[in-house]
Amino acid sequence: FQGFIKALMRQGNALIKAFTRCLQHRLLELPAEVLLIAGWNVFAVDGSLFDAPRTRSNRKTLGVGGTRGTNPTHPQLSMTSLYHLATGTLWSWRIGPARRPERKQFRQQIKRLPAGCLIVGDAGFFGYELLRSIVESGRSFLIRGSSTIRLIKDPTRKNVYLYWPVDRQRTPPLSVRLIRIGNVELITNVLDGRLLSKATARKMYAMRWGIEVMYRTLKQTMDRRTVRARNGAKAKQELEWIAATFQLMSLCMAEQTLRGRRKRLSAANV
């Protein structure tokens, strides 16, 4: 066991990189009618925390999550993931200490996404610099807004607003479209309603719940809410392979469904 763990710590990151890229290529080979939603390759983004044993190494390396004033009992790992909505497949992830910002982990993954895709997220991923990096990468976003966001009506274009925070007015504003669905405000850089209709936006945002279900599967169905490793670096490597396991499982589920062997597969059945 000790020899295996030492080898895994040396080679694990390279193995994970090769393994996940192989599965990503395989996912993109699926037929367009399975892969796309209304012509879009859509990914949801979200983050979650995983507990680790209360050891000195884990506390020092990982830290504890939660907001100020709380007192978590466990060291924790932060995991931010991208999840392919149409197939229910985990695409990529980044893992770090408990207080590693989700936005930073997400930003590290943008360039590995297929060109021209659409990213769906909640209000925690709304920010000028982050959204600009998505636009400059040639990808699109559909992000839930919040009451703190101020948009300026574009006088030259119908249904178009400018997102231009006061502390960023030395840089060009972002042109966005506001989509109201009940009490929810969704903001996107897809300005043409023919490319992304209100009905399609509603459907995509509702499907974002799939990434929440994925985290529930990892923590409850797979019983991995808490990693086993008592060393901080090994705890991170353990969670990397838990995620890689689910990536393989979710791709198998998508392929089996496509072949018509099952109408629906659950992670528990797999």
Side-chain angles (χ1 to χ4, degrees), residues 113-127:
L113 285 166
C117 70
L118 180 72
I119 302 164
V120 181
D122 62 17
F125 293 92
F126 200 100

Side-chain angles (χ1 to χ4, degrees), residues 118 134-135 139-142 175-177 187-192:
L118 180 72
I134 294 174
V135 173
R139 294 158 180 91
S140 302
F141 61 80
L142 178 68
S175 296
V176 298
R177 179 167 140 241
I187 298 170
T188 179
N189 64 322
V190 183
L191 305 182
D192 191 341

Side-chain angles (χ1 to χ4, degrees), residues 225-251:
R225 179 182 297 276
T226 303
V227 297
R228 281 21 176 196
R230 302 175 65 83
N231 172 279
K234 293 175 183 176
K236 179 181 180 297
Q237 190 68 212
E238 181 181 344
L239 187 54
E240 292 276 5
W241 285 100
I242 290 169
T245 300
F246 183 81
Q247 185 185 34
L248 177 60
M249 286 175 58
S250 57
L251 181 58

